[in-house]
Amino acid sequence: MENPKPASFTRHRSPGRPTRKQAEARNNLLLDTSLDLFLQQGFERTTIEAITAAVGMAKRTVYARYGDKETLFRTALQRAIDEWIVPIDRLREAEAENFEDSLLAIGRILVANILSREGMRLMRITNAESIRMPEIGEHALRQGTGPTVAYLADMFQRRLPERFSDPMEAADVAYSYLQLVAGGPANIVAWGVTLTDEQVERQTRTNVRLFLHGVLH
């Protein structure tokens, strides 16, 4: 009589520790979700408990990683700025032989960027929280806008050297360009008004022409 064969079974692997990629994805979800909650509820009313519940993470993990709510907020804000900012190489590649065409192409990129979900979230949250933490507004301006202003000022000096011999004036005019071309549609949308793509394009063209007319005359 043959011996019975042992019953077969499937060995289940223990889930073990998450990989570095998985841990990074979880952390990015934490930062992204926390920033959404800070925007929806405000910094003061948003709790670590609400954030951890939204992402399914233990409070002790968040506290061990960031220490407190303000550090988490600032880290989330910095990551959002880093991911939102337009690479300078992309702006440089948009330059054309004609100066107005360059301003229009660059303007379209900047307008689309500020009107993106990430751009409007950053704008709204810094406007809301900079009253209580004025340094975050300065930080967002320096980190998010500073490199773009420096690039634009350099372009103005390269393209119109007879007009912009003073670097400080070139930087001031670069800020004006951003406020007029990108800030115009952004402020309207931030007030809750919906703009069609056609309206955004028309306003971008109009604002570029106004800017160019002011610079050249």
Side-chain angles (χ1 to χ4, degrees):
M1 182 174 179
E2 294 183 1
N3 293 327
K5 294 181 180 180
S8 61
F9 64 92
T10 302
R11 183 183 298 273
H12 296 282
R13 289 182 175 271
S14 171
R17 293 172 62 86
T19 65
R20 179 179 297 182
K21 187 174 182 180
Q22 289 171 332
E24 182 179 354
R26 288 279 290 164
N27 188 60
N28 289 341
L29 176 63
L30 168 66
L31 296 177
D32 197 49
T33 302
S34 66
L35 208 58
D36 282 337
L37 290 176
F38 285 131
L39 176 60
Q40 293 165 14
Q41 303 177 17
F43 179 84
E44 292 292 348
R45 292 190 299 275
T46 301
T47 64
I48 292 293
E49 288 79 5
I51 294 170
T52 54
V55 296
M57 186 178 291
K59 287 189 293 183
R60 64 178 179 275
T61 302
V62 177
Y63 281 118
R65 189 173 296 168
Y66 294 106
D68 55 37
K69 186 173 71 170
E70 184 165 328
T71 301
L72 174 62
F73 172 74
R74 292 177 184 276
T75 304
L77 187 67
Q78 180 62 63
R79 174 178 174 269
I81 291 172
D82 292 342
E83 292 195 343
W84 168 76
I85 190 171
V86 178
I88 299 304
D89 287 345
R90 185 182 174 200
L91 298 179
R92 191 173 287 113
E93 289 170 0
E95 286 191 45
E97 183 175 348
N98 180 273
F99 187 51
E100 182 175 351
D101 290 343
S102 297
L103 293 176
L104 183 58
I106 292 168
R108 285 174 176 146
I109 293 172
L110 296 175
V111 168
N113 194 48
I114 191 64
L115 292 183
S116 67
R117 173 186 176 276
E118 295 77 12
M120 294 309 299
R121 181 174 64 174
L122 270 175
M123 181 177 177
R124 286 169 173 150
I125 201 168
T126 52
N127 286 346
E129 299 300 337
S130 59
I131 297 175
R132 193 183 69 85
M133 293 184 283
E135 67 276 10
I136 72 165
E138 180 184 354
H139 177 76
L141 183 66
R142 184 174 62 253
Q143 297 293 323
T145 307
T148 303
V149 167
Y151 158 74
L152 289 170
D154 175 72
M155 183 183 72
F156 294 162
Q157 289 187 284
R158 284 188 286 107
R159 305 298 290 266
L160 299 173
E162 70 286 351
R163 170 67 177 81
F164 293 106
S165 57
D166 182 359
M168 295 297 294
E169 182 186 9
D172 289 341
V173 173
Y175 273 114
S176 297
Y177 171 85
L178 286 178
Q179 289 295 319
L180 179 61
V181 178
N187 286 327
I188 293 174
V189 173
W191 293 333
V193 179
T194 300
L195 295 177
T196 65
D197 292 343
E198 181 181 356
Q199 289 173 317
V200 171
E201 172 65 17
R202 185 169 64 248
Q203 189 170 120
T204 301
R205 285 183 172 275
T206 298
N207 290 343
V208 165
R209 288 169 182 163
L210 286 172
F211 172 82
L212 190 61
H213 179 81
V215 166
L216 298 180
H217 296 82

